[in-house]
Amino acid sequence: MLHQSLPLLCDSKIADSILLSVSHFSNNNNNNSIGSSRVLDVGLKFSKQSSGGGSSGRGFSSKAGVKTTTTPNVYGRRAQESVLEQEEAPQKLGFKTFPGQAFPFGVSQVENGINFAIFSQHATAVTLCLSLPHRGKSERTDGGMIEVALDPKVNKTGDIWHICIEDLPRDDVLYGYRIDGPRDWRQGHRFDSSIMLIDPYAKLVEGRRFFGDASRKLSKFYGTYDFDSLPFDWGDDYKPPNIPEKDLVIYEMNVRAFTVDKSSGLDPSIRGSYLGVIEKIPHLLELGVNAVELLPVFEFDEFEFQRRPNPRDHMINTWGYSTINFFAPMNRYASRGGGPHNASQEFKEMVKALHGAGIEVILDVVFNHTNEADDKNPFTTSFRGIDNKVYYMVDLSNNGQLLNFSGCGNTLNCNHPVVMELILDSLRHWAIEYHVDGFRFDLASVLCRGTDGSPLDAPPIIRAIAKDSILSRCKIIAEPWDCGGLYLVGNFPNWDRWAEWNGKYRDDIRKFIKGDSGMKGSFATRVAGSADLYRANKRKPCHSVNFVIAHDGFTLRDLVSYNFKHNDANGEGGNDGCNDNFSWNCGFEGETDDHNIKALRFRQMKNFHLALMISQGTPMMLMGDEYGHTRYGNNNSYGHDTSINNFQWGLLDAEKSSHFRFFSEVIKFRQTHEVFTHDNFLSENDVTWHENNWENHESKFLAFTLHDKNGGDIYLAFNAHDYFVKVSIPPPPPKRRWLRVVDTNFESPDDFVPQGLPGIGSTYNVAPYSSILLEAKN
């Protein structure tokens, strides 16, 4: 693990050496107010350093000495100052400081200046580090820092350290902290005052500006702020879509991967950016989805696998499940390398444009772990160095080792009061500042564990999110499991608010469609809304987020093309990724030119999609499945910034009139037929199951009718046998006739006929591995 001497900051290109140390002085004022001031005299010295060791530039002079002087401050008090004494007289920058205030956390603009506040219960010393803007210089992450030591007698209230500085610029200042405290690992501490730390409450994070820029692979990250820009203009006629959960059709997607491929046809400067998403909104509308669920957009380091030699050091983190900061949008998703401020503005532009198109924005949020890894190969950037014992779960009975319920080396201590408030503040920030419509919580069962890792029946953070007034309009969706075995599908603490990724839906639908025996009853339960899991208290079918495919696992095309995962490219010897995929390759492993196998695979993809879109609950599909994207059997492709993950717009064009057309038409059919979106679980008046042989383990055929109150009934049949099934069709409602809308056995355009085809008799011969949908019309 590479740890540089962070007082010298980024890489080896030190431009300036700036030393400031301010001695402590007595102050009996209330530390929670701004208080009286003191002057900070900053000694600046630029000293030359000879080239050597493959680097050149300027740094700390080897001849520097420190002398102590005393000067009166503006209020007549005496403040000791240590000034760097070198061969040339130092320049002076004067700053007036005040004790500052404890709240709000992070950086805030107050009457007297810029206030900094950070929590650390166990810290014994806190130093604020600042880098001021330099005219005409856009990159300052290689320069020196001003360091301001905080006096615990003056700049501390309870466990909150704070200071206010009057004359700081209102934007473009980089900042961080160096924090010291107990060094006893057995008690859970990981303090190291040599490491620059990011403020957990930084609203913007500066660092590398271009995604995958290998020349800045080891760049550091800093907090920054902007109090100069005007508020974002959401527009006078702006309003969020406010779509009822039961009417959502969610599209899980990755911001970068959606448009970064050159086949997107976008200008290179906006490919893979928030603005790139805006350009492709017409595609989302044509597809018919009305909500996007964005893979993580909080700041993360795509080069995290390349910090040290390891089997994964060829990969780039493209999924983003490795959060650095919970408030800052990913700055490398800004266009043209625009940096954190532009990232913030362009994220808002994206949300505004999606809302204008009637599409909601749900964020995939990762509060189960952070980027700081484990104790074997830690990468301390923030929480670990600020107060590891507070922010992470540690096992004090095992020498203070980190607990790992996330599978990523650490576990956020979500039900500690301070961490709870951090999570709530983050969610509120995204709801208020960025107008997002909801959140999907990665490995949400971690949030159901106490500070010692034990499961809780009523987790405080889960309840607080459900009851929070600001979050009341937001969708909240749990991934109800974690890597410690806490599987809570159907049992996630919910307060009648939380929806869940329904993992049992995924598994049961996969098993039935591919032809497993004994799955007919489970298939019926899942398409009917999973009442066995969610019919409790005031929960609804919409609390089941139904999916067959998600970002982790096979794509839909790979689900029907591979029996086994093929993850060799990940560098983990095939040990990563799920082994229980419930997939079927339709007769050949991987790509093939066999016409019959290819036809069966496309038929199976249509069967899966139809089942998903006619199910009660909230459907979610994965980006790329609308044209049949393949990852060539890789079911854990988190580290590939290539066509394995990136949307292939050329392939979409090739499938526009066939595969894409079917997917789009089925989505739109769902949205125009209320029989698929019941508020409550189906009663016997809502559905008729055309089945009297539920106990037949070998039966792989199911037919049923969904009844419409106005007579527009829908008849559905799914045949997972490898032979034709001749089925009796029930009479249609009075004065109606059956029209065939869907038969997945046919090729486009006959597989979906929006207006329906007449000629349906009393029987229908359903082809092997196919499904049909009939609509009763006048």
Side-chain angles (χ1 to χ4, degrees), residues 135-420:
R135 184 175 299 174
K137 189 173 182 181
S138 60
E139 287 285 358
R140 288 180 292 115
T141 57
D142 291 331
M145 303 288 274
I146 301 169
E147 297 190 354
V148 185
L150 276 60
D151 185 344
K153 297 179 180 178
V154 176
N155 303 112
K156 187 181 180 189
T157 302
D159 296 325
I160 303 169
W161 300 72
H162 46 78
I163 190 170
C164 179
I165 304 178
E166 183 176 62
D167 295 321
L168 283 182
R170 287 160 46 89
D171 68 350
D172 202 26
V173 172
L174 306 185
Y175 77 101
Y177 292 93
R178 291 196 294 110
I179 297 179
D180 208 352
R183 302 299 180 97
D184 190 348
W185 275 47
R186 294 172 300 176
Q187 292 301 311
H189 301 303
R190 304 292 188 271
F191 289 104
D192 184 344
S193 59
S194 72
I195 299 176
M196 183 77 65
L197 303 170
I198 303 167
D199 178 4
Y201 275 79
K203 302 305 187 294
L204 301 172
V205 171
E206 178 66 275
R208 187 186 316 109
R209 288 195 168 191
F210 291 93
F211 195 96
D213 180 3
S215 69
R216 301 192 61 82
K217 185 182 297 185
L218 300 180
S219 291
K220 303 297 183 281
F221 298 89
Y222 307 87
T224 187
Y225 57 82
D226 178 13
F227 297 118
D228 257 351
S229 297
L230 295 173
F232 182 78
D233 182 10
W234 290 94
D236 294 336
D237 58 349
Y238 165 82
K239 62 179 181 179
N242 290 324
I243 301 171
E245 285 184 76
K246 71 181 185 66
D247 295 327
L248 289 177
V249 177
I250 300 172
Y251 184 79
E252 191 190 27
M253 59 171 285
N254 180 303
V255 168
R256 175 172 170 80
F258 193 45
T259 65
V260 72
D261 194 86
K262 64 181 181 181
S263 65
S264 67
L266 301 183
D267 186 283
S269 64
I270 67 169
R271 291 178 194 163
S273 71
Y274 302 121
L275 296 187
V277 173
I278 296 175
E279 294 298 313
K280 295 299 184 178
I281 288 176
H283 168 70
L284 300 176
L285 294 175
E286 185 179 5
L287 179 60
V289 297
N290 57 17
V292 292
E293 183 174 300
L294 305 180
L295 266 64
V297 294
F298 297 178
E299 187 70 28
F300 67 92
D301 182 3
E302 68 272 23
F303 281 117
E304 68 171 351
F305 308 127
Q306 301 189 24
R307 299 184 193 122
R308 59 182 177 84
N310 70 92
R312 299 188 296 164
D313 59 13
H314 61 291
M315 299 214 292
I316 291 178
N317 185 344
T318 60
W319 285 1
Y321 290 87
S322 196
T323 308
I324 287 177
N325 174 278
F326 295 112
F327 292 84
M330 176 62 168
N331 96 73
R332 286 171 297 292
Y333 288 171
S335 65
R336 303 173 180 87
H341 170 70
N342 285 348
S344 175
Q345 293 297 107
E346 292 175 9
F347 188 96
K348 293 172 184 176
E349 291 179 29
M350 178 189 69
V351 173
K352 180 180 177 180
L354 287 165
H355 282 179
I359 298 172
E360 293 200 339
V361 179
I362 299 169
L363 302 186
D364 193 335
V365 293
V366 188
F367 291 113
N368 59 81
H369 76 284
T370 75
N371 69 299
E372 296 185 297
D374 56 15
D375 283 329
K376 182 179 180 181
N377 295 294
F379 185 62
T380 302
T381 57
S382 183
F383 310 95
R384 179 182 173 93
I386 293 170
D387 205 328
N388 185 80
K389 192 174 182 178
V390 167
Y391 283 107
Y392 294 114
M393 295 182 192
V394 296
D395 186 356
L396 296 180
S397 66
N398 185 26
N399 296 315
Q401 293 298 303
L402 292 170
L403 293 170
N404 182 15
F405 297 111
S406 67
C408 298
N410 64 69
T411 309
L412 209 62
N413 197 8
C414 299
N415 283 293
H416 185 286
V418 170
V419 185
M420 275 183 57

Side-chain angles (χ1 to χ4, degrees), residues 648-714:
Q648 300 298 295
W649 293 90
L651 295 181
L652 171 68
D653 291 340
E655 295 293 338
K656 265 295 180 71
S657 63
S658 54
H659 185 86
F660 174 83
R661 175 185 174 274
F662 181 88
F663 272 54
S664 174
E665 292 286 4
V666 171
I667 292 171
K668 293 169 183 175
F669 191 84
R670 173 188 175 84
Q671 293 175 331
T672 55
H673 291 75
E674 294 182 357
V675 293
F676 305 124
T677 58
H678 280 266
D679 280 317
N680 298 303
F681 291 96
L682 299 180
S683 69
E684 60 182 14
N685 295 322
D686 299 318
V687 60
T688 298
W689 302 100
H690 305 297
E691 179 61 56
N692 56 11
N693 198 15
W694 291 104
E695 303 305 320
N696 184 350
H697 190 74
E698 297 305 315
S699 176
K700 304 173 186 179
F701 182 91
L702 181 68
F704 56 97
T705 298
L706 295 172
H707 300 296
D708 177 68
K709 60 184 178 182
N710 296 315
D713 288 4
I714 301 292

Side-chain angles (χ1 to χ4, degrees), residues 11-15 47-59 142:
D11 306 330
S12 59
K13 302 175 181 177
I14 307 302
S47 60
K48 293 184 178 180
Q49 182 175 339
S50 61
S51 298
S55 64
S56 63
R58 294 174 290 188
D142 291 331

Side-chain angles (χ1 to χ4, degrees), residues 371-509:
N371 69 299
E372 296 185 297
D374 56 15
D375 283 329
K376 182 179 180 181
N377 295 294
F379 185 62
T380 302
T381 57
S382 183
F383 310 95
R384 179 182 173 93
I386 293 170
D387 205 328
N388 185 80
K389 192 174 182 178
V390 167
Y391 283 107
Y392 294 114
M393 295 182 192
V394 296
D395 186 356
L396 296 180
S397 66
N398 185 26
N399 296 315
Q401 293 298 303
L402 292 170
L403 293 170
N404 182 15
F405 297 111
S406 67
C408 298
N410 64 69
T411 309
L412 209 62
N413 197 8
C414 299
N415 283 293
H416 185 286
V418 170
V419 185
M420 275 183 57
E421 196 59 34
L422 173 78
I423 294 171
L424 289 167
D425 286 342
S426 168
L427 297 172
R428 293 166 186 148
H429 176 69
W430 288 97
I432 295 171
E433 182 71 15
Y434 293 100
H435 293 201
V436 302
D437 304 284
F439 306 93
R440 176 265 187 188
F441 292 77
D442 182 65
L443 297 183
S445 289
V446 164
L447 281 71
C448 299
R449 294 182 181 272
T451 56
D452 63 352
S454 60
L456 302 174
D457 292 331
I461 184 59
I462 298 298
R463 183 186 188 280
I465 293 170
K467 299 293 184 180
D468 190 85
S469 59
I470 294 174
L471 303 176
S472 61
R473 74 168 184 84
C474 295
K475 282 78 175 177
I476 49 176
I477 304 168
E479 182 184 35
W481 52 81
D482 65 18
C483 293
L486 189 56
Y487 188 78
L488 295 174
V489 173
N491 293 301
F492 193 84
N494 56 81
W495 284 272
D496 297 325
R497 279 273 284 128
W498 284 83
E500 301 175 19
W501 268 26
N502 189 345
K504 292 185 178 180
Y505 178 96
R506 173 199 59 206
D507 296 347
D508 290 347
I509 298 297

